[in-house]
Amino acid sequence: MSQELTILGISAAVTAAIQLCGFGLAFALQTEKFYDILGGINFLALGIYSAIDGGHKDEAWTDNPRKVACTVVFCVSRTWLLVFLAWRAHERGGDSRFDGVKEKFFMFLFYWVFQGIWVFCISMPMILVNSSDKRYEGFSILDWVSIVAFGMAVIIEIFADVQKAIWVKKGREGGFCQIGIWKYSRHPNYFGEILQWWSAFGFAFGSGTGWNDAQWWASILSPLFTMQILLNTGGTGVMQANSTQSLKRYYEGYPEYSLYRESTSILIPFIGYKYVPKCLKRTLFFDFGCYEYQIEEQDEGENETKNFNYKTFE
């Protein structure tokens, strides 16, 4: 078995061990307090393990700038996620996701298994980079673009998280966040997260054997899984933030929100978004119709859900 597949397999085993042990302890204690913490620790464990085992006799891991750069950015990203989620859980005094869940064995187990799959899939590009036995021959143009984008995406996510946390601490002035990078994107933190893993996927290309490398193609699960969770999964990410329940308080409590929404990109930080044609918003900018506010109207005794065009109220 090749070094790449061996390290990939051991990484999967490490992930399974961490998550299943975490589940066993959490279920016994009936707590979710270290769910996110073990997710972050799992990421760092894979980064450290793949770095240690990723060197080979002709070239130590520390002598390969590609491996060092990718692992450092990866670990900074996941350390921030660990710190931020732990702080947020502490501030909220718990995690409502697990209300009525942690008492049910198989349902609670599913949450931990899902986290393990998420951690492993996200980490696949970094694991490929560290496990590769290709000698370092310099950075290609794709390498430079990808690693710079990877680092910038981490910074964007950190800035977005910190700016919103400060806004919340100050009392949520204005009702919805419009400070800093939030002036140009309604979900800049999610944009940063998605950009990170497309960048990591691009960077991993130079560690494979080319376009026919099956492990490199498999690592596309990292950005695709991230996009699925953040864009399409109910109860999380953009879907949760743009649910009828979430949007109702903005549209009914803050008339100016409709203008902010029309003139601010849903993901990609952008100036002049209100001038972008709707066809581009619905495609390239991911501002899909399913994210529009849905209201229920009574029509001849029946509930009917209609899509409101709030531009008419500007």
Side-chain angles (χ1 to χ4, degrees):
M1 183 180 292
S2 67
Q3 174 174 282
E4 289 91 342
L5 291 180
T6 298
I7 292 178
L8 186 68
I10 294 176
S11 296
V14 168
T15 298
I18 291 174
Q19 297 304 318
L20 291 178
C21 288
F23 161 72
L25 183 59
F27 186 74
L29 298 176
Q30 282 297 286
T31 181
E32 77 285 356
K33 290 184 178 179
F34 45 83
Y35 179 80
D36 287 327
I37 293 174
L38 281 183
I41 290 175
N42 198 156
F43 277 119
L44 297 179
L46 296 187
I48 294 170
Y49 159 68
S50 62
I52 292 174
D53 210 19
H56 54 88
K57 61 181 180 180
D58 297 325
E59 184 181 64
W61 177 85
T62 53
D63 294 331
N64 189 317
R66 296 190 81 259
K67 296 184 177 184
V68 173
C70 184
T71 307
V72 167
V73 177
F74 176 87
C75 288
V76 169
S77 166
R78 299 303 87 181
T79 298
W80 169 252
L81 181 68
L82 169 61
V83 170
F84 180 75
L85 291 179
W87 170 82
R88 190 176 66 177
H90 173 74
E91 287 290 302
R92 294 178 176 179
D95 194 330
S96 60
R97 291 176 299 174
F98 296 94
D99 292 345
V101 171
K102 57 180 179 287
E103 301 85 3
K104 302 174 182 177
F105 182 90
F106 289 106
M107 182 62 73
F108 198 29
L109 174 62
F110 173 78
Y111 274 65
W112 287 87
V113 171
F114 186 83
Q115 176 166 256
I117 295 172
W118 169 63
V119 169
F120 181 72
C121 288
I122 295 299
S123 304
M124 287 180 72
M126 181 274 304
I127 294 172
L128 173 58
V129 172
N130 274 342
S131 63
S132 174
D133 58 4
K134 289 183 65 175
R135 292 184 60 85
Y136 174 67
E137 297 178 351
F139 278 27
S140 67
I141 294 176
L142 177 60
D143 289 336
W144 279 114
V145 171
S146 298
I147 199 64
V148 169
F150 194 2
M152 288 180 62
V154 175
I155 293 172
I156 289 172
E157 183 171 4
I158 292 174
F159 268 65
D161 287 338
V162 171
Q163 287 171 348
K164 188 163 188 178
I166 292 173
W167 173 76
V168 170
K169 277 288 189 181
K170 290 183 176 180
R172 298 176 178 267
E173 182 180 359
F176 54 94
C177 189
Q178 304 175 70
I179 64 171
I181 197 171
W182 295 82
K183 292 179 181 178
Y184 311 107
S185 170
R186 305 201 305 268
H187 304 289
N189 49 343
Y190 298 148
F191 168 73
E193 184 73 13
I194 291 170
L195 179 59
Q196 285 179 53
W197 307 119
W198 278 112
S199 300
F201 171 66
F203 189 77
F205 179 79
S207 296
T209 56
W211 293 102
N212 62 342
D213 191 310
Q215 188 174 342
W216 177 71
W217 279 110
S219 70
I220 201 174
L221 286 172
S222 178
L224 292 182
F225 198 76
T226 300
M227 292 184 74
Q228 173 61 30
I229 292 175
L230 294 182
L231 299 182
N232 301 318
T233 303
T236 63
V238 176
M239 284 292 286
Q240 180 186 39
N242 291 272
S243 65
T244 299
Q245 182 178 1
S246 297
L247 292 178
K248 183 177 181 180
R249 69 178 186 270
Y250 295 134
Y251 278 113
E252 295 187 356
Y254 308 97
E256 66 275 17
Y257 179 74
S258 60
L259 179 60
Y260 168 75
R261 189 176 176 88
E262 289 291 338
S263 59
T264 308
S265 170
I266 191 169
L267 273 180
I268 306 169
F270 195 83
I271 298 174
Y273 186 69
K274 64 181 178 181
Y275 302 111
V276 175
K278 190 171 184 178
C279 62
L280 296 182
K281 290 182 177 181
R282 289 286 189 257
T283 53
L284 297 180
F285 285 88
F286 303 99
D287 206 341
F288 304 131
C290 61
Y291 301 142
E292 294 297 331
Y293 180 37
Q294 307 285 325
I295 67 171
E296 291 185 350
E297 290 185 346
Q298 288 293 119
D299 184 13
E300 297 181 356
E302 296 182 356
N303 284 330
E304 181 181 358
T305 301
K306 295 184 177 181
N307 192 348
F308 238 67
N309 180 1
Y310 278 89
K311 288 193 73 173
T312 59
F313 295 98
E314 291 181 6

